[in-house]
Amino acid sequence: MTFQSFRRAHPNVAIVGATGAVGVELIRCLEERNFPLSRLKLLASPRSAGKQMSFRGQPLTVDALDDASFDEVDLAFFSAGSGTSKAYAPKAVAAGAVVVDNSSAFRMDPACPLVVPEVNADSLAAHRGVVANPNCVAIIAAVPIAPLAQAFGLKRVQMATYQAASGAGAAAMEELRASTEAALRDASYEPRVLPHPYAFNLFSHNAEVDLETGYNGEEEKVIAECRRILDRPELPVGVTCIRVPVLRAHAIAMTLEFDRPVSPDEARAVLAKAPGVRIVDDRAANHFPMPSEAQGQGDVLVGRIRQDLSDPSGRSLALFVAGDQLLKGAALNAVQIAERLFAQATAAVA
Amino acid sequence: MTFQSFRRAHPNVAIVGATGAVGVELIRCLEERNFPLSRLKLLASPRSAGKQMSFRGQPLTVDALDDASFDEVDLAFFSAGSGTSKAYAPKAVAAGAVVVDNSSAFRMDPACPLVVPEVNADSLAAHRGVVANPNCVAIIAAVPIAPLAQAFGLKRVQMATYQAASGAGAAAMEELRASTEAALRDASYEPRVLPHPYAFNLFSHNAEVDLETGYNGEEEKVIAECRRILDRPELPVGVTCIRVPVLRAHAIAMTLEFDRPVSPDEARAVLAKAPGVRIVDDRAANHFPMPSEAQGQGDVLVGRIRQDLSDPSGRSLALFVAGDQLLKGAALNAVQIAERLFAQATAAVA
């Protein structure tokens, strides 16, 4: 058996973690992009089993994930945390499915391509059953960085993030709403999901911090995954990950140093042709990428394209970007990976 | 007449813009720090004249600012915008007052010291009637940068800001509250004060953007004022200024490059002794500077002290800092300047 093709022209698809924030968006992306599937199976923890959802106007009942869940499944999206992926992705693959995994479980596994389709779809050909969907910041960063790196040669990446609640799941989004509602009433609110007060506040990303280096787990992922996606294992990358009181779109302030001086106009010309990028850079109207415009759509918005004035050599550019964490940062990228897999399978059959 | 001393041992003080967000904090700072004043005069636009406020438990009526406002005034805080400062600060000086100006009107005037007392109080001695209180980001950045620059030699500064509503005044704070309250009810809200939706959103700073360079007015101020405060006219500084949905404390992600490799522990040792700095850098507890803890107090909180991994030379450190925009970023710094002026005047008399 080869994983380069699906067993059916129109695959049977499963979503593990269907009731989560990303799961809900996976269902919507499959609908909106008219993904050519035969049947959709929604899977979740026993706690969510029995829940009614819908797909293409038809009701669908969520099943509890178990060892038999992947019978007859050709393509499985996993979005239920790293533990679930480690336990069940191998079972899905053994049952004949290709897995697109949204967790961090396989992202650094050399056997599992880590894919942003606009950047490194080629690497998909080598998959052995599991394709890893990268960290949301890594995806949103890689989409504009890759074409610039290609055009000008990349020496250094520095980023400060403005990350939305959605990256910590639906419960964190609800905590942002509920705690803000309480703050507006001057009522107290005890954080349950995130470690710090979230209403009108921001804080360093909640991932565990390496006591030796001072970098948190999110920053470690962003650095390692950007290097892998860009195929630059030694690329110097620095990042500070901050959680801001925004619901579902991430933003990133980035400085990129290139091999040679690059003007903002040269960069703009490259980005204007880059897939997945939408330039939002209207200086006269003070209109630049914002979460409110990034959310609910699939492009990475790129603006504030200018020289980094702290590098007199002219080799560094500053950008500000925004992308929907649940869509391009998660569900949409996963479905785009599946579309590429489908195209490869179709090509292989033809 | 010399401006190096006040005419009275306990000066008469005026606040221009007393009803604004910074004006209110100026009154509180003068109270809480027990500033040795004889009389306090509250001044504002005719629209706010007649408003009742209080100082040390006594009611005070706000007067309309006019040409006679500075009779018998020894010290005048201005916080009513650049236009008002340009029009009335010279009149206050002519009437014999020393002006501490919170606007940008005189910040780049060589005759007006631009002062963060922890950094360059020495420059106060040269004032000729007007002392400029720097931009809030420049103040909050300079407090931790200056001692590190002193210890290790500074080559380059890169910053991305997370700026609160208060920097755009009390009306912007109210817009953040009102628009968020509307968003939680799924109601629409038309922005009146800031150019973009603010509820659960963020956007590039609302200052006008230079069409040529792409830098906005806020970023230009931060760069020019950091250079002036640090007395490094050519210091390479890059900054991206972003408005986040936080009420009154700014945060900054910064990378500092030094003349030689510097370890986080060396930097921590310097910052531990730096005036105006409080280290909040508990990796195990994931406890770092946050607006919620920066607000309502006067220190600049400094944490996430670590190597910038994008600089393999080891000469660059990354930090995350937070400070109250209305206090250290405005009113408190102004009152601290006045305290230094008072100490100088007392010393001159003695």
Coordinates of all heavy atoms in Angstrom, one line a residue, chain B residues 199-266:
Chain B
A199 N -12.4 47.0 19.8 CA -12.8 45.9 20.6 C -12.1 44.6 20.2 O -12.3 44.2 19.0 CB -14.3 45.7 20.6
F200 N -11.4 43.9 21.0 CA -10.7 42.7 20.7 C -9.9 42.8 19.4 O -9.8 41.9 18.6 CB -11.7 41.5 20.6 CG -12.5 41.3 21.9 CD1 -13.9 41.5 21.9 CD2 -11.9 41.0 23.1 CE1 -14.7 41.3 23.0 CE2 -12.7 40.8 24.2 CZ -14.0 41.0 24.2
N201 N -9.4 44.0 19.2 CA -8.6 44.2 17.9 C -7.3 45.0 18.3 O -7.2 45.5 19.4 CB -9.5 45.0 16.9 CG -8.9 45.0 15.5 OD1 -8.2 44.1 15.1 ND2 -9.1 46.1 14.8
L202 N -6.4 45.0 17.4 CA -5.2 45.9 17.5 C -4.9 46.5 16.2 O -5.4 46.0 15.1 CB -4.1 45.1 18.1 CG -3.6 43.8 17.4 CD1 -2.6 44.1 16.2 CD2 -2.9 42.9 18.4
F203 N -4.1 47.5 16.2 CA -3.8 48.2 14.9 C -2.6 49.0 15.0 O -2.2 49.4 16.1 CB -5.0 49.0 14.4 CG -5.6 49.9 15.4 CD1 -5.2 51.2 15.7 CD2 -6.7 49.4 16.2 CE1 -5.8 52.0 16.6 CE2 -7.3 50.2 17.1 CZ -6.9 51.5 17.4
S204 N -1.9 49.3 13.9 CA -0.8 50.1 13.9 C -1.1 51.5 14.4 O -2.3 52.0 14.3 CB -0.3 50.3 12.4 OG 0.9 50.9 12.3
H205 N -0.2 52.1 15.2 CA -0.5 53.4 15.9 C -1.1 54.4 15.0 O -0.8 54.5 13.8 CB 0.8 53.9 16.5 CG 0.6 55.0 17.5 ND1 0.3 56.3 17.1 CD2 0.6 55.0 18.8 CE1 0.2 57.0 18.2 NE2 0.4 56.3 19.3
N206 N -2.1 55.1 15.6 CA -2.9 56.0 14.8 C -2.2 57.3 14.4 O -2.8 58.1 13.6 CB -4.2 56.4 15.6 CG -3.8 56.7 17.1 OD1 -3.4 55.8 17.8 ND2 -4.0 57.9 17.5
A207 N -1.0 57.6 14.8 CA -0.3 58.8 14.3 C -0.1 58.7 12.8 O 0.1 57.7 12.2 CB 1.1 58.9 15.1
E208 N 0.0 59.9 12.2 CA 0.2 60.0 10.8 C 1.4 59.3 10.3 O 2.5 59.3 11.0 CB 0.2 61.5 10.4 CG 0.0 61.7 8.9 CD 0.0 63.2 8.6 OE1 0.0 64.0 9.5 OE2 -0.1 63.5 7.4
V209 N 1.3 58.7 9.1 CA 2.5 57.9 8.6 C 3.2 58.8 7.6 O 2.6 59.3 6.7 CB 2.0 56.6 8.0 CG1 3.1 55.8 7.4 CG2 1.2 55.8 9.0
D210 N 4.5 58.8 7.7 CA 5.3 59.5 6.7 C 5.3 58.6 5.4 O 5.6 57.4 5.4 CB 6.8 59.6 7.2 CG 7.7 60.3 6.2 OD1 7.8 59.9 5.1 OD2 8.4 61.2 6.7
L211 N 4.8 59.2 4.3 CA 4.6 58.5 3.1 C 5.9 58.0 2.5 O 5.9 57.0 1.8 CB 3.8 59.3 2.1 CG 2.4 59.8 2.6 CD1 1.7 60.5 1.4 CD2 1.6 58.6 3.0
E212 N 6.9 58.7 2.8 CA 8.2 58.3 2.2 C 8.9 57.2 3.0 O 9.3 56.2 2.3 CB 9.2 59.6 2.3 CG 10.3 59.6 1.3 CD 9.7 59.5 -0.1 OE1 8.7 60.2 -0.5 OE2 10.2 58.7 -0.9
T213 N 8.9 57.3 4.3 CA 9.7 56.3 5.1 C 8.7 55.1 5.5 O 9.2 54.0 5.9 CB 10.3 56.9 6.3 OG1 9.2 57.3 7.2 CG2 11.2 58.1 6.0
G214 N 7.5 55.4 5.6 CA 6.6 54.4 6.2 C 6.5 54.4 7.7 O 5.8 53.6 8.3
Y215 N 7.3 55.2 8.4 CA 7.2 55.3 9.8 C 6.1 56.3 10.2 O 5.9 57.3 9.6 CB 8.6 55.7 10.4 CG 9.5 54.5 10.5 CD1 10.1 54.0 9.3 CD2 9.7 53.8 11.7 CE1 10.9 52.9 9.4 CE2 10.5 52.7 11.7 CZ 11.1 52.2 10.6 OH 11.9 51.1 10.6
N216 N 5.4 55.9 11.3 CA 4.4 56.9 11.8 C 5.0 57.8 12.8 O 6.1 57.6 13.3 CB 3.2 56.1 12.3 CG 3.5 55.3 13.5 OD1 4.1 55.7 14.5 ND2 3.0 54.0 13.5
G217 N 4.2 58.9 13.1 CA 4.7 59.9 14.0 C 5.1 59.5 15.4 O 6.1 60.0 16.0
E218 N 4.4 58.5 15.9 CA 4.8 57.9 17.2 C 6.2 57.3 17.1 O 7.0 57.4 18.0 CB 3.7 56.9 17.6 CG 4.0 56.2 18.9 CD 3.6 57.1 20.1 OE1 3.2 58.2 19.9 OE2 3.7 56.5 21.3
E219 N 6.4 56.5 16.1 CA 7.7 55.8 15.9 C 8.8 56.8 15.7 O 9.9 56.6 16.3 CB 7.6 54.8 14.7 CG 6.7 53.7 15.0 CD 6.2 52.9 13.7 OE1 6.4 53.4 12.6 OE2 5.6 51.9 13.9
E220 N 8.5 57.9 15.0 CA 9.6 58.9 14.8 C 9.9 59.6 16.2 O 11.1 59.8 16.4 CB 9.0 60.0 13.8 CG 8.9 59.5 12.4 CD 8.2 60.4 11.5 OE1 7.5 61.4 12.0 OE2 8.2 60.2 10.3
K221 N 8.9 59.8 17.0 CA 9.2 60.4 18.3 C 10.0 59.4 19.1 O 11.0 59.8 19.8 CB 7.8 60.6 19.1 CG 7.0 61.8 18.6 CD 5.8 61.9 19.5 CE 4.7 62.8 18.9 NZ 3.4 62.7 19.6
V222 N 9.6 58.1 19.2 CA 10.3 57.2 20.0 C 11.8 57.1 19.6 O 12.7 57.1 20.5 CB 9.7 55.8 19.9 CG1 10.5 54.7 20.6 CG2 8.3 55.8 20.5
I223 N 12.0 57.1 18.3 CA 13.4 57.0 17.8 C 14.2 58.3 18.2 O 15.3 58.2 18.9 CB 13.5 56.8 16.3 CG1 12.9 55.4 16.0 CG2 14.9 56.9 15.8 CD1 12.6 55.2 14.5
A224 N 13.7 59.4 17.9 CA 14.4 60.7 18.1 C 14.6 60.9 19.6 O 15.6 61.4 20.1 CB 13.6 61.8 17.5
E225 N 13.5 60.6 20.4 CA 13.6 60.9 21.8 C 14.5 59.9 22.6 O 15.2 60.3 23.5 CB 12.2 61.0 22.4 CG 11.4 62.1 21.8 CD 10.0 62.2 22.4 OE1 9.8 61.8 23.6 OE2 9.1 62.7 21.7
C226 N 14.5 58.6 22.2 CA 15.4 57.7 22.8 C 16.8 58.1 22.6 O 17.7 58.1 23.5 CB 15.2 56.3 22.3 SG 13.8 55.4 23.0
R227 N 17.1 58.5 21.4 CA 18.5 59.0 21.1 C 18.8 60.2 21.9 O 19.9 60.3 22.5 CB 18.6 59.4 19.6 CG 18.6 58.2 18.6 CD 18.4 58.7 17.2 NE 18.7 57.6 16.3 CZ 18.5 57.7 15.0 NH1 18.0 58.8 14.4 NH2 18.8 56.7 14.2
R228 N 17.9 61.1 22.1 CA 18.2 62.4 22.8 C 18.3 62.0 24.3 O 19.3 62.5 25.0 CB 17.1 63.4 22.6 CG 17.5 64.7 23.1 CD 16.7 65.9 22.6 NE 17.3 67.1 23.2 CZ 16.6 68.1 23.8 NH1 15.3 68.1 23.7 NH2 17.3 69.0 24.4
I229 N 17.4 61.2 24.9 CA 17.5 60.9 26.3 C 18.8 60.2 26.6 O 19.4 60.4 27.6 CB 16.3 60.1 26.7 CG1 15.0 60.9 26.6 CG2 16.4 59.6 28.2 CD1 13.7 60.0 26.5
L230 N 19.1 59.2 25.7 CA 20.4 58.4 26.0 C 21.6 59.2 25.5 O 22.7 58.6 25.7 CB 20.2 57.1 25.2 CG 19.1 56.2 25.7 CD1 18.9 55.0 24.7 CD2 19.4 55.6 27.1
D231 N 21.4 60.4 25.0 CA 22.6 61.2 24.5 C 23.4 60.4 23.5 O 24.6 60.4 23.5 CB 23.4 61.6 25.7 CG 24.4 62.8 25.3 OD1 24.1 63.4 24.3 OD2 25.4 63.0 26.0
R232 N 22.7 59.8 22.5 CA 23.3 59.0 21.5 C 22.7 59.4 20.2 O 21.8 58.7 19.6 CB 23.2 57.5 21.7 CG 24.0 57.0 22.9 CD 25.5 56.8 22.5 NE 25.6 56.0 21.3 CZ 25.5 54.7 21.3 NH1 25.4 54.0 22.4 NH2 25.7 54.0 20.1
P233 N 23.0 60.6 19.6 CA 22.3 61.1 18.5 C 22.2 60.2 17.2 O 21.4 60.3 16.4 CB 23.0 62.4 18.1 CG 23.9 62.7 19.3 CD 24.1 61.4 20.1
E234 N 23.2 59.3 17.2 CA 23.3 58.4 16.0 C 22.8 57.0 16.3 O 23.0 56.1 15.4 CB 24.7 58.4 15.4 CG 25.3 59.7 15.2 CD 24.7 60.4 14.0 OE1 24.2 59.7 13.1 OE2 24.6 61.7 14.0
L235 N 22.3 56.7 17.5 CA 22.0 55.3 17.9 C 21.0 54.7 16.9 O 20.0 55.2 16.6 CB 21.4 55.3 19.3 CG 21.1 53.9 19.9 CD1 22.3 53.2 20.2 CD2 20.2 54.1 21.1
P236 N 21.4 53.5 16.3 CA 20.4 52.9 15.4 C 19.2 52.3 16.2 O 19.4 51.4 17.1 CB 21.2 51.7 14.8 CG 22.7 52.1 15.0 CD 22.7 52.9 16.3
V237 N 18.1 52.8 16.0 CA 16.8 52.4 16.6 C 15.8 52.1 15.6 O 15.5 52.9 14.7 CB 16.3 53.5 17.6 CG1 15.0 53.1 18.3 CG2 17.4 54.0 18.6
G238 N 15.1 50.9 15.8 CA 14.0 50.6 14.9 C 12.8 50.3 15.9 O 13.0 49.7 16.9
V239 N 11.6 50.7 15.4 CA 10.5 50.4 16.3 C 9.2 50.3 15.5 O 9.0 51.0 14.5 CB 10.3 51.5 17.4 CG1 10.1 52.9 16.7 CG2 9.2 51.2 18.4
T240 N 8.3 49.4 15.9 CA 7.0 49.3 15.4 C 6.0 49.5 16.5 O 6.0 48.8 17.5 CB 6.8 47.8 14.8 OG1 7.7 47.6 13.8 CG2 5.4 47.7 14.3
C241 N 5.2 50.6 16.3 CA 4.2 51.0 17.4 C 2.8 50.5 17.1 O 2.2 50.8 16.0 CB 4.2 52.5 17.6 SG 5.7 53.1 18.3
I242 N 2.3 49.6 18.0 CA 1.0 49.0 17.8 C 0.1 49.3 19.0 O 0.5 49.3 20.1 CB 1.2 47.5 17.7 CG1 2.1 47.1 16.5 CG2 -0.2 46.8 17.5 CD1 1.7 47.4 15.2
R243 N -1.1 49.7 18.7 CA -2.1 50.0 19.7 C -2.9 48.7 20.0 O -3.4 48.1 19.1 CB -3.1 51.0 19.1 CG -4.1 51.6 20.1 CD -3.5 52.6 21.1 NE -3.3 53.9 20.5 CZ -2.6 54.9 21.1 NH1 -2.2 54.7 22.3 NH2 -2.5 56.1 20.5
V244 N -2.9 48.3 21.3 CA -3.5 47.0 21.7 C -4.7 47.4 22.6 O -4.7 48.4 23.2 CB -2.6 46.0 22.4 CG1 -1.5 45.6 21.4 CG2 -1.9 46.7 23.6
P245 N -5.7 46.4 22.7 CA -6.9 46.7 23.5 C -6.6 46.6 25.0 O -7.2 45.7 25.7 CB -7.9 45.8 23.0 CG -7.1 44.6 22.5 CD -5.8 45.2 22.0
V246 N -5.8 47.4 25.6 CA -5.4 47.5 27.0 C -5.7 48.9 27.4 O -5.5 49.8 26.6 CB -3.9 47.1 27.1 CG1 -3.4 47.5 28.5 CG2 -3.7 45.6 26.8
L247 N -6.0 49.1 28.7 CA -6.5 50.4 29.1 C -5.4 51.4 29.3 O -5.4 52.5 28.8 CB -7.4 50.4 30.3 CG -8.8 49.9 29.8 CD1 -9.6 49.4 31.0 CD2 -9.6 51.0 29.1
R248 N -4.4 51.1 30.2 CA -3.5 52.2 30.5 C -2.0 51.8 30.8 O -1.3 52.6 31.4 CB -4.0 53.0 31.7 CG -4.2 52.1 33.0 CD -4.6 53.1 34.1 NE -3.5 53.7 34.7 CZ -3.6 54.7 35.6 NH1 -4.8 55.0 36.1 NH2 -2.5 55.2 36.1
A249 N -1.6 50.6 30.4 CA -0.1 50.4 30.6 C 0.4 49.9 29.3 O -0.2 49.0 28.6 CB 0.1 49.4 31.7
H250 N 1.6 50.4 28.9 CA 2.2 50.0 27.7 C 3.2 48.8 27.9 O 3.8 48.7 29.0 CB 3.1 51.1 27.1 CG 2.4 52.3 26.5 ND1 1.0 52.3 26.3 CD2 2.9 53.4 26.0 CE1 0.7 53.4 25.7 NE2 1.8 54.1 25.5
A251 N 3.4 48.0 26.9 CA 4.5 47.0 27.0 C 5.3 47.1 25.8 O 4.9 47.6 24.7 CB 3.9 45.6 27.1
I252 N 6.6 46.6 25.9 CA 7.5 46.7 24.8 C 8.3 45.4 24.7 O 8.9 45.0 25.7 CB 8.5 47.9 24.9 CG1 7.8 49.2 25.2 CG2 9.3 48.0 23.6 CD1 8.7 50.3 25.6
A253 N 8.4 44.8 23.5 CA 9.3 43.7 23.3 C 10.5 44.3 22.7 O 10.4 45.0 21.7 CB 8.7 42.6 22.4
M254 N 11.7 44.2 23.3 CA 12.9 44.8 22.8 C 14.1 43.9 22.6 O 14.2 43.0 23.4 CB 13.3 46.1 23.6 CG 13.5 45.8 25.1 SD 14.2 47.4 25.9 CE 12.7 48.4 26.1
T255 N 14.9 44.2 21.6 CA 16.2 43.5 21.5 C 17.2 44.6 21.5 O 17.1 45.5 20.8 CB 16.2 42.7 20.1 OG1 15.2 41.7 20.1 CG2 17.6 42.0 20.0
L256 N 18.2 44.4 22.4 CA 19.3 45.3 22.5 C 20.6 44.6 22.1 O 20.9 43.5 22.6 CB 19.4 45.8 24.0 CG 18.1 46.4 24.6 CD1 18.3 46.7 26.0 CD2 17.6 47.6 23.8
E257 N 21.3 45.3 21.2 CA 22.7 44.7 20.9 C 23.7 45.6 21.5 O 23.7 46.8 21.5 CB 22.9 44.8 19.3 CG 24.2 44.1 18.9 CD 24.4 44.2 17.4 OE1 23.4 44.4 16.7 OE2 25.6 44.1 17.0
F258 N 24.7 44.9 22.2 CA 25.7 45.6 22.9 C 27.1 45.5 22.2 O 27.2 44.7 21.3 CB 25.8 45.0 24.4 CG 24.5 45.2 25.1 CD1 23.6 44.1 25.3 CD2 24.1 46.4 25.6 CE1 22.4 44.2 25.9 CE2 22.9 46.6 26.3 CZ 22.1 45.5 26.5
D259 N 28.1 46.2 22.8 CA 29.4 46.2 22.2 C 30.1 44.8 22.4 O 31.0 44.5 21.6 CB 30.3 47.3 22.8 CG 29.8 48.7 22.4 OD1 29.1 48.8 21.4 OD2 30.2 49.6 23.1
R260 N 29.7 44.1 23.4 CA 30.3 42.8 23.6 C 29.2 41.8 24.0 O 28.1 42.2 24.3 CB 31.3 43.0 24.7 CG 30.7 43.4 26.1 CD 31.7 43.1 27.2 NE 31.3 43.5 28.5 CZ 30.6 42.8 29.4 NH1 30.1 41.6 29.0 NH2 30.2 43.2 30.6
P261 N 29.6 40.5 24.0 CA 28.6 39.5 24.5 C 28.2 39.8 25.9 O 29.1 40.1 26.8 CB 29.4 38.2 24.4 CG 30.4 38.4 23.3 CD 30.8 39.8 23.5
V262 N 26.9 39.7 26.2 CA 26.4 40.0 27.6 C 25.5 38.8 27.9 O 24.6 38.4 27.1 CB 25.6 41.3 27.6 CG1 25.0 41.5 29.0 CG2 26.5 42.5 27.2
S263 N 25.6 38.3 29.1 CA 24.7 37.2 29.5 C 23.5 37.8 30.2 O 23.6 38.9 30.8 CB 25.5 36.2 30.5 OG 25.6 36.9 31.8
P264 N 22.4 37.0 30.2 CA 21.2 37.5 30.9 C 21.5 37.7 32.4 O 20.9 38.7 32.9 CB 20.2 36.3 30.7 CG 20.6 35.7 29.4 CD 22.1 35.8 29.4
D265 N 22.4 36.9 33.0 CA 22.7 37.2 34.4 C 23.4 38.5 34.6 O 23.1 39.2 35.6 CB 23.5 36.0 35.0 CG 22.6 34.8 35.3 OD1 21.4 35.0 35.3 OD2 23.2 33.7 35.4
E266 N 24.3 38.8 33.7 CA 25.0 40.1 33.9 C 24.0 41.3 33.7 O 24.0 42.2 34.5 CB 26.0 40.3 32.7 CG 27.3 39.5 32.9 CD 28.2 39.7 31.7 OE1 27.9 39.1 30.6 OE2 29.1 40.5 31.8

